[in-house]
Amino acid sequence: NAGVTQTPKFQVLKTGQSMTLQCAQDMNHNSMYWYRQDPGMGLRLIYYSASEGTTDKGEVPNGYNVSRLNKREFSLRLESAAPSQTSVYFCASSATYQNTEAFFGQGTRLTVV
Amino acid sequence: GIQVEQSPPDLILQEGANSTLRCNFSDSVNNLQWFHQNPWGQLINLFYIPSGTKQNGRLSATTVATERYSLLYISSSQTTDSGVYFCAVQVAAGNKLTFGGGTRVLVKP
């Protein structure tokens, strides 16, 4: 049982380049999330999808877009990467968007130079 | 928004020691989770514990929702317990987990 799978695990981008982070879950969860973690800090929510077909902004959405491709997959896109987006990105999923346990992927370490 | 404070920020233990980590939160919550972030960065689910007490091996957790705190107990610590422990909460009307700042634990052999 893979749980939440993210790709890639590591990525280096030049300023201005674009990329998409992929996330897939095999737990039949309705809700999915993208978080970022910066050094010495906890995780902050970028975007979430409460259910298939819906997406909403979290607390730090600027510079990002998301797509809920289907129930399993939720992607995060950086259209024009900036050094401030250097971070570790985590995808998560939960059965529903309230009051259920969230499970996290292994993270993507992104460096923008 | 809700504030989540964890203490202590850093903890150094000798292998075999016991410890207690605390998480205080500023509002009523419907969800509380404890995670262990290992040295490779992976977030491991420890407990889903909006209230009550749970135990899993050498770890146990207690949440007193009415007093807005949760405790994580580590007994007979091992070097593999090293890492950062995060508490995360979800408010009744909210839709995201709010993380505390974490407790960094180092267990020395």
Side-chain angles (χ1 to χ4, degrees):
Chain A
N1 190 350
V4 180
T5 303
Q6 295 181 230
T7 55
K9 290 184 173 59
F10 301 94
Q11 184 71 48
V12 178
L13 289 179
K14 293 182 179 179
T15 297
Q17 287 185 319
S18 63
M19 78 162 294
T20 299
L21 280 64
Q22 306 287 351
C23 175
Q25 52 90 11
D26 63 2
M27 296 175 282
N28 200 35
H29 284 170
N30 289 302
S31 302
M32 298 185 73
Y33 313 83
W34 278 104
Y35 288 83
R36 61 178 286 174
Q37 183 180 30
D38 299 300
M41 299 180 67
L43 280 71
R44 293 181 293 168
L45 183 67
I46 305 171
Y47 271 92
Y48 68 97
S49 171
S51 60
E52 186 179 357
T54 69
T55 61
D56 284 287
K57 295 178 180 179
E59 57 185 306
V60 288
N62 291 346
Y64 305 95
N65 286 300
V66 291
S67 295
R68 184 74 182 266
L69 305 171
N70 48 54
K71 190 172 185 179
R72 289 187 65 249
E73 298 172 291
F74 188 38
S75 63
L76 178 72
R77 182 162 178 84
L78 287 71
E79 290 291 352
S80 179
S84 61
Q85 294 178 304
T86 294
S87 188
V88 180
Y89 291 85
F90 288 94
C91 177
S93 72
S94 61
T96 62
Y97 85 104
Q98 283 190 335
N99 311 333
T100 57
E101 188 174 7
F103 296 87
F104 284 77
Q106 77 274 32
T108 295
R109 187 174 296 275
L110 174 67
T111 302
V112 183
V113 298
Chain B
I2 191 168
Q3 303 299 312
V4 183
E5 295 184 356
Q6 292 186 241
S7 59
D10 296 280
L11 192 58
I12 300 176
L13 300 170
Q14 206 62 41
E15 197 169 27
N18 303 328
S19 63
T20 301
L21 283 60
R22 187 176 181 101
C23 172
N24 291 333
F25 42 95
S26 61
D27 202 350
S28 299
V29 299
N30 275 11
N31 178 6
L32 189 146
Q33 291 186 240
W34 282 98
F35 297 92
H36 175 216
Q37 188 165 39
N38 64 24
W40 296 269
Q42 190 177 8
L43 278 167
I44 309 297
N45 287 43
L46 296 178
F47 295 101
Y48 171 69
I49 187 166
S51 63
T53 298
K54 291 186 177 180
Q55 181 155 6
N56 184 1
R58 295 180 296 101
L59 301 181
S60 63
T62 295
T63 297
V64 184
T66 53
E67 297 186 21
R68 300 181 182 173
Y69 73 89
S70 183
L71 302 174
L72 177 70
Y73 304 96
I74 306 174
S75 65
S76 303
S77 57
Q78 300 178 357
T79 56
T80 53
D81 295 331
S82 296
V84 183
Y85 290 79
F86 287 106
C87 165
V89 302
Q90 186 179 37
V91 299
N95 55 5
K96 70 180 181 75
L97 283 174
T98 298
F99 282 76
T103 293
R104 186 175 299 274
V105 174
L106 175 63
V107 181
K108 294 185 171 181

